[in-house]
Amino acid sequence: MYPVPAPPDPDALPPDLLQDAATTFGLLSATVRLHLLWLLAQGDRDVGTLADETGQSVATVSHHLGKLKLAGLVRARRHGKHQIHSIDDPQVAGIVQLAIRHHQELRTGSSRARRTRGA
């Protein structure tokens, strides 16, 4: 788990800081980008592997990786004929992992609660 830092003083929150955070959450709102970050948080991958693992086309994955690279969330390095993509912002990767694990736990908890009520 990633530690959650103490929130800044609410009176000291400049609007441009809030806009930057909103932009990051906007990028994370696309399911395929969220999936890409989740996979890259597990380890570096090339675009073909990411396409296979997400069920998307190489063109679609490349498009979304481009957006993530522009935002500074992902980086790429050349390895022979392939570009290998990796996380460039571990804190955002932590947010993605935290959110997905949270929802996994909610589903597991909801399933348990339904089974208990039905028994």
Side-chain angles (χ1 to χ4, degrees):
M1 276 289 179
Y2 290 88
V4 178
D9 177 9
D11 297 331
L13 269 170
D16 62 325
L17 178 64
L18 290 170
Q19 182 58 54
D20 289 347
T23 299
T24 299
F25 281 108
L27 278 167
L28 298 178
S29 69
T31 307
V32 68
R33 288 194 290 268
L34 197 63
H35 196 176
L36 292 171
L37 287 170
W38 170 262
L39 292 169
L40 291 173
Q42 314 308 314
D44 301 352
R45 290 167 165 79
D46 67 20
V47 70
T49 301
L50 288 167
D52 288 344
E53 290 178 324
T54 60
Q56 303 291 323
S57 70
V58 169
T60 297
V61 169
S62 292
H63 170 77
H64 288 288
L65 286 170
K67 288 181 179 272
L68 293 169
K69 279 191 265 187
L70 273 172
L73 303 179
V74 169
R75 68 177 175 268
R77 70 181 186 285
R78 180 125 336 251
H79 182 73
K81 294 181 180 182
H82 300 278
Q83 283 211 10
I84 306 300
H85 300 274
S86 58
I87 292 291
D88 202 23
D89 190 329
Q91 288 187 326
V92 171
I95 291 168
V96 168
Q97 290 175 317
L98 185 64
I100 290 174
R101 287 187 179 125
H102 171 72
H103 284 279
Q104 286 173 328
E105 289 171 9
L106 286 175
R107 286 183 176 198
T108 302
S110 297
S111 299
R112 227 180 282 136
R114 273 184 259 145
R115 282 192 301 247
T116 304
R117 276 185 257 142

